[in-house]
């Protein structure tokens, strides 16, 4: 081992500015009309409609949330009035903070703005959500299936998509009876 | 494909990461490179060249110009059954001679719908499922899932269980990095490294087998603690690991560190800058090798890992060589944590005493009616987790491993999503390999250390 393992005792938040908790969130809320801040199991959460998501994400990036670590969705079929909820997890390395954006997306013709232009890493993540839930991301450069085959029918992680009740489909698997 | 050349990105790499900077320009060509509309990468259309010939405009494909050069480009499919793709990674390459012009990962060949399966399993059965995702770091998957469940439950984990978790996951990190280094060596031609890496990994797996019953897919870390206490004589086994692996690592250093062939194949290859890493959500050794001092074990500690001394290893150039150095450094740091955890292992319970969450000891079942009821309830319908949602992340050997868990108050998760670090890290490939040689493809993939079980889940 060599100097590459140099001791780096200072945590990022110790080196940078102190976390300005409420100012930061207030700034984000001002950027996106209709956004509401909350706390869920100790994490900062912002709820916003699909129309405000792009603005909120852009403002979050400006505010120092450099990385979009995860995008996923939940299907609340039969549990909530608005069927889908898009979940965007952002992280700020400098402030050592996380922020979760929750976006309700209606069940008929689900669509949300793509975040690829703000966070390029959203590319694969949004493709996965599209593949699994059928939520379209407007403005995504390459919105194709990513885990399932191209010609798969349906979106497997929707709650009305049964487990194991589906004939296995594979591309170019011609039936030869 | 790339307007940015490798030299320019080398320059950019010298300037380390400024927080809150504007979106990197790379996004445009990355986006432009994947607009075919299918998962596979199609040929780029060669524009017809209309030329003036004797006063008439005709379409001429004989003109020696860019259009013809484009025509020389070859689409090559690599994988999914290729020994150096670490599982079933498939790459569409567009080659111009020996140079990779465009690249697109095509994934999903190992997709087994584990997130869907998780919705049908109780919270106690969950670790059996998630442990099969990243099969080189199964304990990290279990830990991440268990931490998410515990966060919603709000149970306290006894100190011994936490120390066992740290001990086991850090050993798992060493074994995972051993495989990464070994396969990295094999892919570039250092076959001895393959033998060495797997030889030492076997030591750790033997200890895992003794402790958990299985070499892989342990289902050892569960919500509420761990499945069993450490076996008798575990101190000696850990001592042997701590004794033998650093010695073996001296061999690796002799073999690779100053090896001119190794350096020739890895230095300056597959460079990714810190800004690109942040933009594309790339974490773990790849991010640290690019110079970003970020490790969730220190920034957002879990399981009491903040009470141990360790350093975060970083590189500077973000190339294959630095990623290899970061992994070597991290192995030594993990062994440091393991030594401290073994020396300060507290006494006490290895799982929580909350009987609503953790099953009672076997002997109590014969004595206590309540214990029998708890046992029965936990193993049939599972324990109930309060309604809520949480995102919990830990530092797996490959980067940020996250678990997004939603409970509707029942015995099974409403939704369990795993943020696989390999999945996001794969997006680094087109950036790393822009205008590089075909042979370097192999080095780049190996240095990313993707585990396809983690990518496809």
């Amino acid at each position: 081992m060599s100097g590459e393992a140099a001791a780096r005792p200072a945590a990022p938040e110790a080196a940078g500015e102190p976390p300005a908790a409420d100012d930061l969130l207030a700034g984000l809320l001002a950027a996106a009309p209709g956004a509401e801040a909350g706390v869920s199991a100790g994490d900062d959460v912002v709820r916003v409609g699909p129309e405000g998501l792009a603005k909120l994400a852009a403002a979050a990036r400006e505010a120092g949330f450099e990385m979009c670590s995860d995008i996923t969705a939940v299907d609340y079929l039969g549990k909530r009035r608005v069927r889908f909820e898009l979940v965007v997890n952002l992280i700020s390395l400098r402030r050592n903070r996380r922020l979760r954006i929750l976006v309700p997306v209606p069940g008929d013709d689900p669509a949300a703005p793509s975040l690829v232009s703000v966070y390029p890493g959203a590319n694969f993540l949004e493709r996965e959500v599209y593949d699994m839930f059928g939520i379209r991301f407007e403005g995504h450069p390459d919105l194709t299936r990513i885990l399932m085959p191209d010609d798969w029918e349906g979106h497997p992680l929707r709650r009305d998509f049964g487990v194991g009740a589906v004939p296995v489909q594979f591309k170019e698997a011609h039936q030869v009876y | 494909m790339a307007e940015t050349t490798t030299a320019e990105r080398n320059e950019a790499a010298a300037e380390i990461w400024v927080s809150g900077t504007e979106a990197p320009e790379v996004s445009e060509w990355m986006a432009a490179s994947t607009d075919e509309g299918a998962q596979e990468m199609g040929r780029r259309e060669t524009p017809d060249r209309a030329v003036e010939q004797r006063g008439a405009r005709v379409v001429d494909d004989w003109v020696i110009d860019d259009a013809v050069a484009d025509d020389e480009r070859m689409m090559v499919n690599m994988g999914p059954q290729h020994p150096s793709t670490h599982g079933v990674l498939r790459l569409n390459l567009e080659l111009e001679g020996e140079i990779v012009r465009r690249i697109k990962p095509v994934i999903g060949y190992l997709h087994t719908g584990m997130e869907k399966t998780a919705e049908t399993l109780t919270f106690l059965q969950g670790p059996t499922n998630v442990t099969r995702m990243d099969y080189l770091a199964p304990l990290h998957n279990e830990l991440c899932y268990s931490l998410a469940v515990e966060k919603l439950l709000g149970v306290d984990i006894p100190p011994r269980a936490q120390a066992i978790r740290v001990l086991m996951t850090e050993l798992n990190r060493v074994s995972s990095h051993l495989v990464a280094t070994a396969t990295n060596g094999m892919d570039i031609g250092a076959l001895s490294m393959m033998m060495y890496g797997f030889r030492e990994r076997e030591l750790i797996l033997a200890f895992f087998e003794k402790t958990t019953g299985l070499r892989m897919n342990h289902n050892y870390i569960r919500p509420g603690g761990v499945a069993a206490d450490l076996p008798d004589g575990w101190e000696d086994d850990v001592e042997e690991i701590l004794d033998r692996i650093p010695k073996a690592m001296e061999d690796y250093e002799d073999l690779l560190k100053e090896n001119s062939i190794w350096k020739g194949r890895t230095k300056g290859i597959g460079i990714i800058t810190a800004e690109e890493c942040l933009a594309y959500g790339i974490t773990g050794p790849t991010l640290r090798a690019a110079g970003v001092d970020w490790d969730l074990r220190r920034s957002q500690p879990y399981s009491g890992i903040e009470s141990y001394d360790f350093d975060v290893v970083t590189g500077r150039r973000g190339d294959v060589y630095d990623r290899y150095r970061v992994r070597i450094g991290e192995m030594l740091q993990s062994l440091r944590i393991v030594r401290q955890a073994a020396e300060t292992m507290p006494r006490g319970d290895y799982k929580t005493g909350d009987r609503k969450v953790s099953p009672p000891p076997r002997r109590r079942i014969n004595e206590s009616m309540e214990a029998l009821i708890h046992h029965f309830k936990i193993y049939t319908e599972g324990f109930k987790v309060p309604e809520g949602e949480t995102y919990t992340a830990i530092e797996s050997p490959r980067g940020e491993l996250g678990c997004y868990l939603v409970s509707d108050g029942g015995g099974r998760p409403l939704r369990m999503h795993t943020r696989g670090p390999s999945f996001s890290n794969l997006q680094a490939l087109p950036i790393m390999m822009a205008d590089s040689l075909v042979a370097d493809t192999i080095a780049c993939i190996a240095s990313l250390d993707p585990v396809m079980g983690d990518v496809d889940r």
Side-chain angles (χ1 to χ4, degrees):
Chain A
M1 265 313 297
S2 62
E4 276 153 90
R8 303 258 189 147
E13 83 274 25
E17 61 265 48
D22 296 339
D23 294 353
L24 188 66
L25 278 184
L28 292 183
L29 295 183
E36 295 169 25
V39 174
S40 168
D43 305 333
D44 286 333
V45 171
V46 173
R47 288 169 207 279
V48 69
E51 63 285 349
L53 174 61
K55 276 183 190 162
L56 183 63
R61 196 176 193 292
E62 280 300 305
F65 288 92
E66 306 97 343
M67 195 190 277
C68 172
S69 60
D70 190 29
I71 297 178
T72 185
V74 188
D75 183 358
Y76 287 104
L77 180 67
K79 298 198 182 288
R80 287 192 188 176
R81 203 167 44 78
V82 183
R83 178 170 176 184
F84 295 108
E85 188 170 72
L86 196 66
V87 183
V88 181
N89 274 292
L90 305 179
I91 183 164
S92 165
L93 275 64
R94 167 171 287 189
R95 296 176 199 271
N96 193 12
R97 271 188 78 164
R98 286 180 187 279
L99 179 69
R100 190 154 67 241
I101 305 178
L102 302 177
V103 187
V105 178
D108 48 329
D109 192 24
S114 169
L115 298 184
V116 174
S117 55
V118 186
Y119 295 102
N123 188 332
F124 273 24
L125 301 166
E126 287 180 353
R127 280 178 68 192
E128 190 191 344
V129 172
Y130 164 72
D131 192 356
M132 293 294 154
F133 290 93
I135 298 176
R136 280 183 300 105
F137 289 91
E138 274 144 15
H140 191 287
D142 178 30
L143 196 62
T144 55
R145 288 187 179 272
I146 189 166
L147 295 178
M148 308 303 286
D150 275 341
D151 51 357
W152 189 271
E153 285 171 19
H155 299 283
L157 277 179
R158 288 187 174 192
R159 291 194 78 81
D160 50 6
F161 192 98
V163 186
V166 185
V168 176
Q169 313 165 16
F170 284 111
K171 192 153 80 178
E172 292 160 17
H174 305 293
Q175 289 197 330
V176 283
Y177 306 74
Chain B
M1 145 171 137
E3 273 73 12
T4 33
T5 61
T6 314
E8 284 169 25
R9 289 195 290 127
N10 283 356
E11 274 182 26
E15 289 182 8
I16 290 296
W17 166 52
V18 184
S19 169
T21 47
E22 64 280 2
E25 288 147 12
V26 285
S27 62
E28 285 167 23
W29 62 256
M30 169 75 185
S33 69
T34 57
D35 55 355
E36 280 81 18
Q39 286 176 38
E40 287 88 0
M41 184 167 67
R43 279 189 84 91
R44 275 191 177 165
E45 290 297 314
T46 312
D48 290 331
R49 291 299 167 103
V51 291
E52 295 272 339
Q53 280 187 351
R54 299 181 185 168
R57 285 181 68 80
V58 295
V59 175
D60 189 350
D61 55 358
W62 284 93
V63 185
I64 309 291
D65 63 4
D66 291 351
V68 177
D70 260 355
D71 214 29
E72 299 284 311
R73 290 192 178 186
M74 189 165 48
M75 304 293 300
V76 176
N77 180 67
M78 182 178 154
Q81 309 288 352
H82 190 283
S84 71
T85 52
H86 292 240
V88 282
L89 173 63
R90 176 177 167 209
L91 298 175
N92 284 164
L93 305 169
E94 185 176 308
L95 304 182
E96 188 175 337
E98 273 288 292
I99 298 176
V100 180
R101 289 300 185 201
R102 288 197 301 157
I103 180 168
K104 186 175 180 188
V106 180
I107 59 177
Y109 293 92
L110 208 57
H111 178 61
T112 43
M114 285 173 175
E115 292 182 6
K116 186 84 174 172
T117 311
E119 293 171 9
T120 66
L121 300 175
T122 64
F123 286 100
L124 194 62
Q125 289 168 333
T128 330
N129 182 35
V130 295
T131 191
R132 281 155 176 80
M133 288 179 172
D134 183 349
Y135 43 79
L136 289 183
L139 288 166
H140 286 90
N141 284 295
E142 297 167 17
L143 178 61
C144 186
Y145 178 85
S146 301
L147 287 175
V149 176
E150 285 155 10
K151 199 166 168 186
L152 287 179
L153 277 172
V155 293
D156 287 332
I157 305 304
R160 184 174 175 89
Q162 294 204 352
I164 293 176
R165 285 176 170 190
V166 169
L167 176 90
M168 297 294 277
T169 50
E170 292 307 313
L171 279 175
N172 203 165
R173 188 184 312 277
V174 176
S175 76
S176 174
H177 279 350
L178 279 172
V179 174
T181 319
T183 51
N184 199 348
M186 180 184 72
D187 288 348
I188 307 183
L191 287 178
S192 317
M193 190 57 228
M194 179 72 182
M195 306 295 167
Y196 288 175
F198 273 76
R199 184 183 66 192
E200 267 67 65
R201 173 174 179 255
E202 211 54 37
L203 257 182
I204 297 177
L205 293 195
F207 176 65
F208 283 171
E209 186 177 9
K210 197 172 174 183
T211 310
T212 72
L214 290 168
R215 295 168 76 248
M216 295 163 85
N217 305 336
H218 310 285
N219 190 19
Y220 179 67
I221 297 174
R222 298 179 187 179
V226 294
D229 207 351
L230 293 170
D232 290 343
W234 65 272
E235 294 95 340
D236 299 337
D237 295 326
V238 171
E239 191 54 44
E240 194 191 351
I241 290 171
L242 289 173
D243 192 40
R244 275 180 54 184
I245 289 187
K247 277 187 196 141
M249 284 177 65
E250 286 171 19
D251 286 351
Y252 309 162
E253 299 287 74
D254 291 345
L255 187 67
L256 296 180
K257 191 180 176 191
E258 297 301 330
N259 182 331
S260 59
I261 302 174
W262 177 263
K263 281 159 78 174
R265 287 298 306 276
T266 56
K267 280 208 164 182
I269 304 295
I271 291 176
I272 185 162
T273 65
E275 280 170 356
E276 287 164 346
C277 282
L278 294 173
Y280 284 90
I282 290 150
T283 47
T286 314
L287 178 65
R288 288 191 283 276
V292 180
D293 186 17
W294 177 256
D295 190 322
L296 289 178
R297 287 179 291 171
R298 191 199 50 203
S299 315
Q300 297 170 4
Y302 50 87
S303 289
I305 203 164
E306 66 274 18
S307 59
Y308 305 102
D309 286 335
F310 66 98
D311 297 327
V312 176
V313 186
T314 55
R316 280 189 301 120
R317 292 171 295 268
D319 57 2
V320 176
Y321 186 79
D322 273 15
R323 292 196 275 279
Y324 144 73
R325 291 309 303 164
V326 165
R327 290 207 174 86
I328 292 281
E330 282 187 6
M331 277 193 257
L332 289 172
Q333 295 301 327
S334 287
L335 290 174
R336 228 175 114 188
I337 299 176
V338 169
R339 182 176 293 282
Q340 296 170 51
E343 280 168 0
T344 62
M345 179 65 69
R347 294 176 181 283
D349 286 337
Y350 60 87
K351 57 184 180 180
T352 175
D354 188 341
R355 288 285 162 257
K356 296 291 176 207
V357 175
S358 104
R362 195 79 200 166
R363 61 174 187 283
R364 292 279 303 144
I365 293 173
N366 295 336
E367 305 164 355
S368 153
M369 191 62 197
E370 280 212 330
L372 182 65
I373 292 170
H374 283 140
H375 180 91
F376 186 73
K377 291 281 257 186
I378 285 175
Y379 282 112
T380 51
E381 61 176 36
F383 49 80
K384 302 259 193 296
V385 171
E387 193 176 341
E389 46 113 42
T390 174
Y391 178 81
T392 310
I394 67 168
E395 186 76 25
S396 102
R398 267 155 283 279
E400 178 180 324
L401 174 68
C403 181
Y404 182 70
L405 194 70
V406 184
S407 171
D408 59 352
R412 294 180 167 82
L414 180 74
R415 170 102 171 94
M416 195 282 294
H417 167 75
T418 299
R419 188 254 189 217
S422 305
F423 183 71
S424 286
N425 286 3
L426 263 194
Q427 300 192 74
L429 271 184
I431 307 160
M432 281 179 184
M433 288 163 48
D435 299 335
S436 70
L437 295 174
V438 181
D440 295 338
T441 312
I442 311 296
C444 288
I445 298 172
S447 75
L448 263 186
D449 187 25
V451 170
M452 298 315 287
D454 193 27
V455 174
D456 295 339
R457 302 181 302 280

